[in-house]
């Protein structure tokens, strides 16, 4: 795969007619002059949820697969077809941590790059906050009741997030989470 202008994705053949004349136009779209095929390289949408306790401890997952296996991320994932951002956030929590969360509120969005099996996806990650269920005093108590999604989540952890230095110490899987945690501190 050829890297053009920082993007790893490129075609050598038109997927419709097989022509070798397919053209990459500024990484925004591919066009085939032979058959008229156009493919736009649109941004994908993903969601993430920050759940914290009154002590500023935030819930993180340890990723069980690539990209960035073994690194920390907040619960979340890609938005499915026909799904709102809020529905995706709720679904991802149910799937990844085994819990339905309440009090979901928009926090911010951040650009991200998600590389999977040598394909680079540009994403717009939309982050929410959610309330810690009232029966739990701390994130660590909450973690004891969570069920990690097999193949997606290796385990759970909590980190105190009170300063920029706290954020820099966490081996985060994605830059969008780092941007979001900084915005979270501002709130």
């Amino acid at each position: 795969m050829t890297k053009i202008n920082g993007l790893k994705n490129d075609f050598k053949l038109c997927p419709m007619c097989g022509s070798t004349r397919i053209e990459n136009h500024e990484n925004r779209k591919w066009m085939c002059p032979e058959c008229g095929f156009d493919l736009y390289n649109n941004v994908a949408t993903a969601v993430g949820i920050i759940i914290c306790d009154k002590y500023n401890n935030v819930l993180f997952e340890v990723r069980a697969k690539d990209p960035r296996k073994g690194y920390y991320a907040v619960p979340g994932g890609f938005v499915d077809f026909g799904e709102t951002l809020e529905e995706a956030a709720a679904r991802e929590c149910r799937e990844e941590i085994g819990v339905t969360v309440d009090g979901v509120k928009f926090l911010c969005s951040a650009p991200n790059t998600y590389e999977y099996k040598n394909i680079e996806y540009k994403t717009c990650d939309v982050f929410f906050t959610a309330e810690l269920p009232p029966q739990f005093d701390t994130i660590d108590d909450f973690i004891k009741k969570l069920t990690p999604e097999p193949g997606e989540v290796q385990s759970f952890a909590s980190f105190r997030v009170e300063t920029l230095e706290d954020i820099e110490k966490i081996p985060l899987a994605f830059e969008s989470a780092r941007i979001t945690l900084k915005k979270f501190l501002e709130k």
Side-chain angles (χ1 to χ4, degrees), residues 3-99:
K3 194 166 188 169
I4 299 174
N5 297 329
L7 188 67
K8 291 184 178 185
N9 311 344
D10 203 18
F11 295 104
K12 301 292 183 227
L13 301 172
C14 173
M16 294 301 286
C17 73
S19 171
T20 59
R21 294 185 56 213
I22 191 149
E23 302 165 352
N24 182 312
H25 291 262
E26 299 177 5
N27 288 322
R28 302 280 300 155
K29 75 175 183 174
W30 289 268
M31 296 171 54
C32 178
E34 299 290 325
C35 71
F37 171 77
D38 288 340
L39 176 67
Y40 290 86
N41 189 26
N42 295 320
V43 172
T45 307
V47 294
I49 300 182
I50 295 177
I51 304 170
C52 77
D53 62 24
K54 62 186 173 190
Y55 307 105
N56 297 318
N57 296 308
V58 175
L59 171 68
F60 291 92
E61 304 172 343
V62 178
R63 291 182 55 80
K65 68 177 192 176
D66 283 324
R68 311 286 290 164
K69 179 179 180 179
Y71 285 79
Y72 294 92
V74 296
F78 286 100
V79 178
D80 286 343
F81 297 123
E83 193 172 48
T84 68
L85 297 170
E86 295 83 358
E87 290 167 344
R91 176 186 50 77
E92 286 290 346
C93 273
R94 280 191 312 276
E95 290 174 1
E96 291 188 354
I97 68 175
V99 172

Side-chain angles (χ1 to χ4, degrees), residues 117-138:
K117 294 188 177 183
N118 293 321
I119 301 291
E120 191 173 85
Y121 299 90
K122 295 297 183 180
T123 66
C124 180
D125 297 349
V126 180
F127 290 89
F128 297 88
T129 59
E131 296 174 0
L132 181 66
Q135 66 268 34
F136 301 102
D137 187 49
T138 68

